[in-house]
Amino acid sequence: MGDRRETARETAITLNNIGVVHFELEESQKAKEYFNRSLPIFRAVGDSPNEAFTLYHTAVIAGELGNFSEALDRIQAAIDIIENLRGKIASDELRISYFATVQDYYKFYIDLLMQLHKTNPRSGYDRQAFEISERSRGRSLLELLQEANADIRQGIAPELLQQERNLQEQLDAAETKRLEILNTPNPPRQQIAELEKQRQNLLFQYQNIQSQIRATSPRYAALTQPQPLNLAQIQQQILDDNTILLQYALGDDRSYLWTVAKTNITSYELPPSADIEKAARNFRNAVTNPVHRNIPNRIAKASNELSQIILQPAASKLDRQRLLIVGDGILNYLPFAALSLPETSGETRNLPLISKYEIALLPSASTLGILRQNYNDRQPPTRILAMLADPVFSADDERVKNNASAVDRAAIESVNLGLSLSSSDSGVQWQRLKFTRQEAEVIISLVARNSSTKALDFQADRNAATSTNLSQYQIIHFATHGLANSTNPELSGIIMSLVDENGKPVNGFLRLTDIFNLKLAAELVVLSACQTGLGQNIQGEGIVGLTRGFMYAGAKRVVVSLWNVDDEGTAEFMAKFYQEMLQKKLTPAAALRAAQLAMLQQEKWQSPYYWAAFTLQGEWQ
């Protein structure tokens, strides 16, 4: 019986492959015939992934032939299968990976609904498309946040936990070996490649063990999978009368924008993703490139061009004080604060968006619902500020005793596993950031001594960053180097002190895994460092990086940066941000805007490069 099922499945795969060939040759009718022959076989043998694949292709063909009702039925059936399949995958990494492979299904569904909206604007197709867009993003983050309040390792077989520890030790040993080879003259490339292959294999095994832990955890089993919010829930639970949600979906042929207010939704068709990406890259380059970033006319031109594409169509609807932005693709890397205001009657062009609006970014609107639920379940912190700043990165730092006998970089890297690889991937050099001291002192002076704690110099170490005492603080501020690794996101992290008072190397690299294991109840985490808002941009999931780690750890909102920020400019900016927040009692979103406007008024800091890098992600209230 098993042989017959496999033979039938192989026959169906062959039919499907022929269908794909005809599909790519744009021979729709022939492709449809082969797909329709393979579909019942996949159903009969229980091959759900190939059934969904076939349904998707027949939906596309039906759409091309104008059979919209059939196209809707088929793509809905495909999406139902995908949702069912991803729900059975215990591994977060595999769920993310699988979901990325089927994003075209969601994109087609959205596009089909929006094309139907054009011909039937009163039928609610644009609302359905918005809800499918919400279902297509940040799902693993939703599930991680749901998991955050449960100790899923309680009740797990000790041997599984031991296997997890053993694999972590093997990963550390592989990294130690890699560093040894790299620090030899003319390190052999082949051996380095083999070690990287070994590391990836161990990482896969490590993630597999974590999947088994989830699969056998009584607490994990008791969790219900969080479902994305629908339009009515977003309007009731997320928005208020002063807030507009802008949600983008980029597509190959055309892109879309929905503006959602408390009582209405409006949709807009935008150009293809390639056009948006070109304008977005040009704008980001104008703002961040050292050659261009102090040329106002160049920045204004790039800003106006992008604003015209992604904001101008909705200009008449942007009539509130606050924008919540759910980006897509390259839009996740954009400093929206510096974009030009869209033109409306009586308004001056070339003013930045921040001149009129508070701005907060979200991976998805549904994320905010889970964050609020999680935060309400925690004991609120009683103290105000924990400051971790100006760590010591090298033995030749002036703060080290007898600093003439410098410890070489290799020795430091050998006790900070992953730091070398992540620094190389991120292009970050970890020299001292002298203005972080000034930044820390100004901010600390705004808070009563009995409501704050500070860890500076050697005390700004790994122990301070992982202390359980941090759960007592409303605001946790890191002023140091950050590494957002888009190649190996698990090696993203924050660099604390790497040597002690005598120059001896210590482990000071706080990796993403360590951040996930923190237990916070913070209203706000501020990562005053370079590129802390970046990471790996995965289809369907968005940016996988430090923000996700701190939200999982218990932060309600996180302030992060989108590029390599200026040391002195950041100190100035952060001082203003905290003055607005602590002295004037503004919300973090309002304080961020006020600080950006204050920088904009000073000739030295007028360029968006100095003030637009920092964004607020998460809760806006």
Side-chain angles (χ1 to χ4, degrees), residues 19-20 31 42 92 103 108 169 183 191 229 235 241 254 292 315 347 387 429 478 482 517 532 560 569 572 604:
V20 169
F42 285 133
D92 176 52
Q103 281 302 299
F108 171 75
E169 288 169 6
N183 289 311
Q191 200 171 356
L229 302 179
Q235 290 175 318
D241 292 333
R254 53 204 151 248
H292 307 143
E347 285 194 338
M387 171 64 66
Q429 301 297 317
F478 291 90
N517 288 326
T532 49
V560 292
E572 182 86 7
K604 184 177 181 179

Side-chain angles (χ1 to χ4, degrees), residues 605-616:
W605 309 119
Q606 274 183 352
S607 170
Y609 167 73
Y610 297 106
W611 53 263
F614 287 99
T615 65
L616 184 140

